[in-house]
Amino acid sequence: MSAPFSSPGSSPGSAAAPGSRPLVMEARGLVKRYGQVVAMNGADFELRPGEIMAVIGDNGAGKSSLIKALSGAVTPDEGQIFLEGRPVAFRSPIDARREGIETVYQDLAVAPAMTIAENLFLGREILRPGPVAKLLKLIDRKKMLEEATRHMQGLQFAIKSMSQPVETLSGGQRQGVAVARSAAFARHVVIMDEPTAALGVREGNMVLDLIRQVRDKGLPVILISHNMPHVFEVADRIHVHRMGRRAAILNPKVISMADTVSVMTGALRPEDLSPDMLAG
Amino acid sequence: MSAPFSSPGSSPGSAAAPGSRPLVMEARGLVKRYGQVVAMNGADFELRPGEIMAVIGDNGAGKSSLIKALSGAVTPDEGQIFLEGRPVAFRSPIDARREGIETVYQDLAVAPAMTIAENLFLGREILRPGPVAKLLKLIDRKKMLEEATRHMQGLQFAIKSMSQPVETLSGGQRQGVAVARSAAFARHVVIMDEPTAALGVREGNMVLDLIRQVRDKGLPVILISHNMPHVFEVADRIHVHRMGRRAAILNPKVISMADTVSVMTGALRPEDLSPDMLAG
Amino acid sequence: MTQPSTAPPAKRSFHLPNFSTLGPLIALLVACIFFATQSDRFLTLNTFSLILQQASFVGVIAIGQTLIILTAGIDLSCGMIMALSSMVIGKLAVEQGLPVGLAILAGFAVGAFVGWLNGLLITRWKLPPFIVTLGMYSIVFAAVRIYSRATSVPMPPDGLTFLAQRFELFGTRFSYGSLLMLLLFLLTWLYLNYTAPGRHIYALGNNPEAVRLSGINNNRLLLSVYTFAGLLYGVAALLLLERIGGASPEAGQTENLESITAVVIGGTSLFGGRGNVLGTLIGALIVGVFRSGLTLMGLDSVYQNLITGILIILAVATDQFSRRRS
Amino acid sequence: MTQPSTAPPAKRSFHLPNFSTLGPLIALLVACIFFATQSDRFLTLNTFSLILQQASFVGVIAIGQTLIILTAGIDLSCGMIMALSSMVIGKLAVEQGLPVGLAILAGFAVGAFVGWLNGLLITRWKLPPFIVTLGMYSIVFAAVRIYSRATSVPMPPDGLTFLAQRFELFGTRFSYGSLLMLLLFLLTWLYLNYTAPGRHIYALGNNPEAVRLSGINNNRLLLSVYTFAGLLYGVAALLLLERIGGASPEAGQTENLESITAVVIGGTSLFGGRGNVLGTLIGALIVGVFRSGLTLMGLDSVYQNLITGILIILAVATDQFSRRRS
Amino acid sequence: NQPIIGLITKTETNPFFVKMKEGAQKEATRLGAKLMTAAGKQDGDNAGQVTAIENMVAAGAKTILITPSDSKAIVPAIAKARAAGVMVIALDSPTEPASAVDALFATNNYQAGILIGKWAKASMGSKKAVIATLDLFPGHPVGIARHNGFLEGFGVKGVTSKSPDLVNTSVVCAQDSFGDQAKGQTAMENCLQKNPDINVVYTINEPAAAGAYQALKAAGKEKDVLIVSVDGGCAGVRNVQAGVIGATSQQYPLKMASMGVAAGVNYAKTGKKASGYVDTGVALITNKAIAGVKSNDGKFGLANCWGE
Ligand SMILES: Nc1ncnc2c1ncn2[C@@H]1O[C@H](COP(=O)(O)OP(=O)(O)OP(=O)(O)O)[C@@H](O)[C@H]1O
Ligand SMILES: Nc1ncnc2c1ncn2[C@@H]1O[C@H](COP(=O)(O)OP(=O)(O)OP(=O)(O)O)[C@@H](O)[C@H]1O
Ligand SMILES: [Mg+2]
Ligand SMILES: [Mg+2]
């Protein structure tokens, strides 16, 4: 996956240079305050078609706040979000879903007493065929179990039964459920907030594979992660978040992991980097 | 931190060869079933004085179940736990605490509406001086805030105020609270279930430092982690958990990261390893 | 009962809760066996039919209450809504001379409307269900009194006769009301378990934030639950009319506690998201069995109170122990 | 209300709940201003003293109720425990001729004992508080009837006189009972906020699993809360005796709902772990202000019900809106 | 083979009904009958009474004595029981229509109101009356009968026993007391706030009267205000003697109950049903007899009171 310096975002699905195709998602000057705490302080963001954009930053830098704003889970106090160039104002996650944006939240929004299959299909249950069934919204339990098994198989978690309540799963298995859900249903953008944090080595790699598959389908992915090897393995560009705002966008094909960490922690100023390390 | 082949557990605090000093903790044949799911299937465990014992394994392998048994949070169906050679039967975490065992649970047992300081000191609040205050159990809020700041400072999380409710913290900050709590109060053994999972690069290294400090105070540490670099950085021995039981104890000074992962995922059988890779 | 804005109670448990209705069922059977040894009149189809009849309108209310409690809400106004609906049906059919069918529809509409109002206040203003439905209790209480001018409306003998009909089964007469209640329980159970909105109700009580984030409209769902519950209270009004043969302005004052009791005995958690509507049926029957059995034993009514208190605790304890076994 | 075995409701919220009593206070002030414009008799110290007196025993019960609700429990038996305690004090002091001090101690002991029994059933058998206290309500109800033989015990004029004394302040007579209630609210608030066990009560309602894992004995804590609440109901019995000048076998039937209402209006969550006992005081006063103000306006009692219902909803809505502002 | 007699009262708590139950129990023991008892959850709990009737019929009761909570709504359930061959006697208050039961053993509540109304009017003489009433709760027929009877007896124009609802002409403050002492006291306190000049207080029953007295005493007005009540329980009569209550209309629940049980036993033995209305009587009890109003003194009251 080596790429020429001047062309950031060079993986198969990702298209062209800045300007040629509109940005899939863009945010300008987002601000979110919680009492005295400023979670976002004029944060910018951009996502190009078909790219994997990693978002990294210290704990409490405001990464989760940023993606919550992008997915409609919180409403920013100031700033503007654009989707394919048009300004949007998500008032709830419903709005974002309707636009085909799927999100894995850091605190894994699952219903613990419900089964894996039910959680996977929450809000878009598979209905039985036939007009009566459609009208009554009769769910097709069997099909849902089968489909769930299929989706989860890709991730190779050792889960016995899809009709197990999620609260009986181990931490990592639970994360697997959330990841599988977003990958299965995204139509436009996939956002993942630390999807591999609780995962084992094998399972983590599976999720990275999954992310690449999604990208290869042509969907751009926003990946928040603290795991630098993971980030460098899949990211096309790296958005560094610092103290509530974007500090820089780096090019992982050029910059080293150590330098990236330095930018992230503030030891290195983005201005001091060589221009090719910055991704346009 | 390189060490001679034959002497596992060679870091400063860890003592002697097997037999010379009794094991701090030992478990034999632990079994825990949840309905049809067997979370532990005859799991063994041992911990030597002053060592950092890493526990690794796939998601759902039963690591959390093992440490929950060791800390009294769940009662195993079968098997025996020994502390300093004497058999113990923890019926609740209170029993384990009384023995000086401190645990960071994977699902971070915090009271979300309460402040950071209160969570840090939950169950051992600092009381005001004087017999009346002791009798009434009057808490010393100011001192608790100060102490909390001191404890958390070591970890360098950018948290403004210790009187902030925990539910307002970011995922990683919350984990920092749980870690700081265990490190501050342990008198005998520290158990940490994935303490660095949600942490940034800098914060994760801080926690590793903290773990080393605890070990250097002479307390043994059980560290569950999926982060192989972290494990190899601090562990004296590596307990590999597979399908509900111990597959092997490895010597990180000898074996490579790749081989370790192979053992963990079952690609390599422990019998096929050279003896020096196994830690006694 | 919290504001929907404060979010997901991500409950976890090591001891798996058992959602089956086995526990309550065991308690019910034990109670029946006990009373059968105490009175030879107890184990008759007649008694059974009576208990079913007596449970009918509280049972139907308890269906609505179960739905609401599953969403982590509570409804204190349920009995009063029933009283209002029954008064509307009675007044329209008897005093205004409306066709019975129309009067019934109007009663249902009133029930659904008040339920909808509850839901509106809860979802729009984000008020705790406890307060909204407590306030609604007082409001509807006054409305019933003003509307009825504190006078009960007797059914004319030929007014709602179709309701009063019974059918024979094994030589015992069962009321259509009991049948309707059983049917509604079954339908609700199917709805909760086999339709998408049914599952969403569970999820909503389990983790409202997860439901919100998964793109379901929490407010719309909640609103529909409260409205539907109101409709059920309208149906209960019909059964009340059937049972007592008239609309009474004093009705509806105790059904809130009675229905919540049936729900909780049936094993549904007051924190929402966990439970089973068939358990509620068993809970309602358990209360009926106690009342009927203790009367048959000829106990003084004060001692009936005493024993009922003890038995309710024991019934739920049986449930608990049977769960811990399994 | 769940079984303590099923674990931590790790609630999170994006909109921070505001625990201050500001919201309820605003509602109280608005109500006072409204009534002051309606009746010039309202804004007098006399009215104020009266509202305090009327709120006194329900207020003290509501303190216990707040503690229990903070642990995510509920107590339906509170009023009945008070009735039993008052009957014990009355009977012993008047009929048995025991020294008043001893009789009062016995009353307190009975209250604490029944509370302890509630706690025992909840912690040992892991039964839902709703069911345990509902059952206990029936049991104590019967006990009061049997013990009192349905007769009220009047206080002899020279019996508990010290209780009936008033003190003057700005020309208005206040009862010592009101003072005691205010004092208990203050002490409980201090206890909850400045002692270790007080903080544990919050934590217990917030995340019982975290409390368990941090090595606190959940069961012992819960047991002490229920016992202490029982003791408070005993104190309420004393205030009841002071107020109505005798022990009545009919007392205690509505105080459960009234106290829960005060707690919820005061901003405490029925899910536990969040709230403020001073809010409960304001909640109790709001209810008293409505009653007193509406009477002064000369409203018919049916309409008083109607308006009270609306006002309760509006009071909590005010609270909600003031929180959202801040 | 004992005859089984059921007694269904309005509530479990009101001493009036509790004593009625005790009277019935005593008579049943004396006559060798088995008594079953049940009660509504609270005044007005019609559904609870219906359930009790059904369960008693199922348990084999041949006679049911009932104090109907809802005089109209209970009728169909009574009709069903009678169709099953059960004799139903209403105690204390009538059903509507009165023919729905076999017999009625009751006091005339309206008459009870008239008696205390007349006495109060005569006692006030030429003084201007400022009246407060502490009623039962909205819409209860017994509450309406006593309240309106009191007003008619007091000479308020336009009140008759046919008035369907509480008449509030010349009443400055009407509050619900639920017949409960604590609630009666609160109601009285609030009334005094509204109008401190109140000098006549009608109360639905004696516990409410005791509550009213507490409130008046706290306000230092107990000497200037006339309290009248209805019931005639022993505690109430003692309050009459102590000067707490000016006058009360005494009723005879024990008589109602024992007559009912006797009728039940008679029906079981002979198959003959009781019928018609038996007025169990009402007497005005006061220690301040006034010319022109027939009354009995406290001694008579204590000799005939119910309760202890
Ligand atoms: N609901 C809230 N109320 C108050 N403060 C909040 C809230 N949510 C987040 N914050 C604060 O906003 C800041 C940013 O939080 P955020 O969760 O976005 O960080 P993050 O970059 O995702 O961190 P992490 O890597 O630890 O997940 C933190 O300091 C946090 O304390
Ligand atoms: N309360 C429970 N009820 C039922 N099954 C459970 C329960 N707790 C754990 N399990 C099951 O036991 C197995 C082991 O779980 P455990 O949490 O110990 O795994 P783990 O090794 O810690 O995994 P991870 O790395 O994902 O945290 C899993 O398959 C899980 O589904
Ligand atoms: Mg985050
Ligand atoms: Mg784990």
Side-chain angles (χ1 to χ4, degrees), chain A residues 158 164 167-173 198 200, chain B residues 34-35 37-39 57-66 68 106 193-194 224 226 241, chain C residues 12-16:
Chain A
Q164 220 172 314
E167 64 194 340
T168 68
L169 294 181
S170 78
Q173 291 170 333
Chain B
Y34 293 107
V37 181
V38 184
D58 280 351
N59 289 123
K63 304 179 296 299
S64 295
S65 301
L66 171 67
K68 275 180 187 152
Q106 187 171 12
D193 194 353
E194 307 196 22
I224 301 185
H226 288 303
H241 215 72
Chain C
R12 277 188 79 240
S13 74
F14 302 111
H15 308 278
L16 250 189

Side-chain angles (χ1 to χ4, degrees), chain A residues 105-184:
Chain A
Y105 292 96
Q106 188 171 13
D107 43 6
L108 306 179
V110 289
M114 306 191 72
T115 67
I116 300 172
E118 284 177 338
N119 268 289
L120 273 176
F121 290 100
L122 188 60
R124 55 204 143 196
E125 288 77 5
I126 303 180
L127 301 183
R128 283 167 186 273
V132 181
K134 284 279 171 305
L135 189 74
L136 296 175
K137 302 212 174 117
L138 290 182
I139 53 179
D140 193 335
R141 297 200 155 207
K142 201 158 141 272
K143 187 118 174 260
M144 271 167 61
L145 282 180
E146 283 168 14
E147 285 284 298
T149 313
R150 203 170 59 76
H151 286 306
M152 292 297 289
Q153 224 155 26
L155 292 170
Q156 295 194 13
F157 283 91
I159 298 177
K160 288 249 170 66
S161 149
M162 291 301 135
S163 54
Q164 220 172 314
V166 164
E167 64 194 340
T168 68
L169 294 181
S170 78
Q173 291 170 333
R174 226 174 293 182
Q175 191 155 45
V177 173
V179 170
R181 176 165 64 177
S182 72

Side-chain angles (χ1 to χ4, degrees), chain B residues 56-105:
Chain B
I56 65 172
D58 280 351
N59 289 123
K63 304 179 296 299
S64 295
S65 301
L66 171 67
I67 67 103
K68 275 180 187 152
L70 296 179
S71 68
V74 306
T75 317
D77 299 329
E78 291 171 32
Q80 183 62 55
I81 298 171
F82 303 87
L83 208 65
E84 234 89 67
R86 33 182 190 100
V88 288
F90 296 147
R91 271 162 315 131
S92 82
I94 307 176
D95 297 342
R97 277 235 167 162
R98 211 169 279 141
E99 299 280 1
I101 300 170
E102 281 299 323
T103 311
V104 181
Y105 293 96

Side-chain angles (χ1 to χ4, degrees), chain A residues 34 37-39 57-66 106 193-194 226, chain B residues 158 164 167-173 198, chain D residues 12-14 16:
Chain A
Y34 294 105
V37 182
V38 184
D58 280 350
N59 289 122
K63 305 180 294 299
S64 296
S65 301
L66 172 67
Q106 188 171 13
D193 196 352
E194 306 197 23
H226 289 301
Chain B
Q164 216 172 316
E167 62 194 341
T168 68
L169 295 181
S170 78
Q173 291 170 334
Chain D
R12 276 186 81 240
S13 73
F14 301 110
L16 249 188

Side-chain angles (χ1 to χ4, degrees), chain D residues 159-172:
Chain D
L160 301 170
T161 35
F162 74 95
L163 278 176
Q165 279 165 19
R166 304 271 189 282
F167 62 96
E168 294 241 346
L169 203 71
F170 308 116
T172 312

